[in-house]
Amino acid sequence: MSTTPYVIDQTQARELLARIDVPQILRKLFRDLAAGHAVQPAQQLVEFPQGAGDFINYLGVLAEDGVYGVKTSPYIVREQGPLVTAWTLLMSMQTGQPLLLCDAGELTTARTAATTAVAVDALAPLKAAHLAIIGSGKVAQAHLHYVKTLRDWQSISVYSPTLSEDPATASLLQNLDPRVNIADSREAAIAEADVIMLCTSSAGPVIDPATLSKPALITSISTNAPRAHEVPPQSLNDMQVFCDYRLTTPGSAGEMLIARERHGWDTSAIIGDLADLLSEKVQRPDYNRHVFFRSIGLGLEDIALANAVYQLQC
């Protein structure tokens, strides 16, 4: 038996992911997590000396599939801007041998967006009609791809500071869905939104929920810069808070850490996570105030997709 893992590069990963129902794989993952068939440790942050960056390691076990995996992702500080890469290693729980080493760039984009989509489907009002997306990069585009069919969207507004100067990206977004409108400002994009997806690499607040005209679902992914957050930390006290996994997210999400330290927020205020929602332990929220969903990205998400890719290829 070969002990050399199968290596999949970014191009192969993209091609294989196109053949996979990513949201459905993640739904099964979170149901397995709720049933105790999967294990998700807290992510591990390994900081470089002198503030030169860090590695974040995401671990997980899928017992029914017999695989353990780890995704490792560096954030390398450079003068020309930070460099972020990621690789996922899949190992057999039967033989202890490595199975797959996969460039995780495409996996990360897909699972990040699809996790948000699973959350939108579980949390958004069934009659939600107006969608706003803040951000226009590959992750924002993937978000649009996975959520465009989840509701009967009457409008889809997209805003990023550089989008007006990037006609190619604007055209790409409108080709993904003809309902897309490129907003002139952040305020215009979110003015009537029922669902606001924050898909940025910002390390600080992108919107202030207190300025919104009506209750909305706000989703946030943020970035792996230290204590990054896309909403003001104090705003958590005024929202119904959900997350991808309640046992690990509060220890890593920047706005949750800051809200706990400075604004009297407590992790017990988290109403539920995706495992709770998909196992129907908690119900869809009412909208007497904003609903906030925070995803930090779980090792299990990467591992589930890596396993699906491995099964296709091997």
Side-chain angles (χ1 to χ4, degrees):
M1 177 185 296
S2 172
T3 59
T4 302
Y6 195 94
V7 179
I8 293 180
D9 64 20
Q10 189 171 31
T11 300
Q12 288 175 286
R14 184 184 305 116
E15 293 169 353
L16 292 167
L17 279 170
R19 297 163 53 189
I20 294 169
D21 186 341
V22 176
Q24 194 56 33
I25 288 170
L26 294 181
R27 288 187 183 96
K28 180 183 183 303
L29 159 65
F30 284 106
R31 292 189 182 106
D32 285 351
L33 198 56
H37 299 151
V39 178
Q40 176 59 76
Q43 69 183 40
Q44 177 194 50
L45 173 66
V46 182
E47 295 183 278
F48 297 170
Q50 285 82 51
D54 59 60
F55 267 85
I56 296 182
N57 300 317
Y58 308 78
L59 314 172
V61 172
L62 295 174
E64 286 193 339
D65 296 291
V67 294
Y68 159 82
V70 56
K71 171 197 171 181
T72 187
S73 177
Y75 180 88
I76 300 171
V77 175
R78 306 180 303 171
E79 286 186 10
Q80 64 270 44
L83 173 67
V84 180
T85 70
W87 286 82
T88 297
L89 174 67
L90 203 64
M91 298 186 68
S92 168
M93 292 170 61
Q94 281 76 45
T95 67
Q97 299 298 323
L99 302 172
L100 176 74
L101 181 62
C102 182
D103 184 304
E106 296 294 329
L107 299 183
T108 302
T109 298
R111 63 90 164 148
T112 299
T115 297
T116 298
V118 170
V120 168
D121 203 22
L123 291 169
L126 296 178
K127 295 184 178 180
H130 302 287
L131 172 66
I133 302 173
I134 306 301
S136 60
K138 288 184 178 180
V139 173
Q141 294 164 25
H143 273 69
L144 173 60
H145 169 71
Y146 286 118
V147 305
K148 63 184 181 181
T149 61
L150 294 182
R151 297 292 185 273
D152 183 16
W153 304 115
Q154 301 303 301
S155 69
I156 301 175
S157 296
V158 181
Y159 172 79
S160 74
T162 60
L163 194 51
S164 62
E165 302 166 5
D166 187 357
T169 299
S171 177
L172 192 157
L173 287 161
Q174 289 167 328
N175 287 337
L176 282 171
D177 195 298
R179 293 168 294 183
V180 165
N181 168 65
I182 306 303
D184 294 329
S185 67
R186 183 184 294 110
E187 292 72 24
I190 64 178
E192 299 298 324
D194 300 303
V195 176
I196 301 169
M197 300 193 302
L198 306 179
C199 309
T200 78
S201 58
S202 175
V206 176
I207 67 166
D208 184 351
T211 66
L212 299 175
S213 62
K214 63 179 182 181
L217 168 62
I218 302 163
T219 71
S220 175
I221 56 171
S222 198
T223 183
N224 61 349
R227 297 203 166 199
H229 52 282
E230 294 178 297
V231 299
Q234 62 269 28
S235 68
L236 296 191
N237 287 317
D238 300 316
M239 297 192 288
Q240 301 173 77
V241 178
F242 294 81
C243 64
D244 45 1
Y245 191 45
R246 67 161 79 228
L247 296 182
T248 61
T249 304
S252 298
E255 73 286 341
M256 293 184 178
L257 292 169
I258 298 169
R260 195 164 66 233
E261 292 172 3
R262 304 180 190 173
H263 303 290
W265 183 78
D266 191 270
T267 57
S268 63
I270 295 174
I271 296 172
D273 57 18
L274 284 179
D276 294 328
L277 286 162
L278 293 178
S279 63
E280 299 184 347
K281 291 180 181 177
V282 299
Q283 301 303 308
R284 190 183 304 273
D286 59 33
Y287 276 81
N288 58 350
R289 54 190 175 131
H290 298 310
V291 176
F292 180 66
F293 173 78
R294 178 60 149 99
S295 172
I296 60 167
L298 304 181
L300 278 174
E301 296 164 9
D302 292 272
I303 292 157
L305 291 193
N307 187 51
V309 165
Y310 177 73
Q311 297 301 327
L312 271 183
Q313 190 64 21
C314 305

